[in-house]
Amino acid sequence: MSNNGTSESLRQLSALLGASGVALGAFGAHALKERLSRKATGIDNWRTGVMYQILHAVALLSVSALSSNNPKSLKASQSYSGGKVMALGTALFSGSIYLLCLDIGPKKLLGPTTPIGGLLMISGWVMVGMGKY
């Protein structure tokens, strides 16, 4: 598979994260507003999850463009690229925040998932900075 495959995968991940981030932001602001307001930090935490998700969706779109224009970027066959690590981190970070806000799932598992997701996002940024798209 060529770099175009990597670029396309990152573009698709970006679109998924971006679209679902907008939908979750709207859902939280309207349909879940009352439920999220029951917790002192419910709305703020939800907004944090949405903000990081949308920010990283845009970042992944940029990484996709870098990947498609750089012949030295990693091949799609490699398991881990900065963009893929960033996408996984975003899903874990924001996803665990959403679930914690809604009291869905075990807090003992979800609590540590948030910082793990954050570390993966940071790692993805570092990898991108090293040219490992």
Side-chain angles (χ1 to χ4, degrees):
M1 196 176 253
S2 68
N3 287 339
N4 290 338
T6 298
S7 177
E8 185 173 331
S9 296
L10 294 176
R11 182 182 47 78
Q12 290 169 347
L13 287 169
S14 170
L16 177 65
L17 287 173
S20 61
V22 171
L24 286 164
F27 196 58
H30 301 288
L32 294 175
K33 187 175 184 179
E34 185 179 319
R35 182 171 178 180
L36 293 172
S37 296
R38 293 180 196 150
K39 289 185 173 184
T41 60
I43 291 176
D44 288 338
N45 289 345
W46 191 272
R47 285 181 184 155
T48 297
V50 169
M51 179 188 67
Y52 275 89
Q53 182 172 338
I54 292 175
L55 178 112
H56 283 84
V58 173
L60 282 173
L61 190 58
S62 299
V63 171
S64 170
L66 284 171
S67 176
S68 68
N69 292 323
N70 187 346
K72 292 183 180 180
S73 66
L74 292 178
K75 294 180 182 174
S77 62
Q78 281 192 282
S79 298
Y80 301 102
S81 69
K84 290 176 185 177
V85 170
M86 191 183 293
L88 176 61
T90 303
L92 291 174
F93 180 84
S94 293
S96 63
I97 289 175
Y98 301 141
L99 294 173
L100 287 166
C101 285
L102 297 173
D103 289 322
I104 297 173
K107 289 182 182 179
K108 285 185 176 187
L109 177 65
L110 292 173
T113 302
T114 307
I116 291 169
L119 287 171
L120 288 171
M121 287 189 294
I122 293 166
S123 298
W125 280 105
V126 171
M127 291 171 75
V128 167
M130 295 171 59
K132 298 178 181 181
Y133 308 123

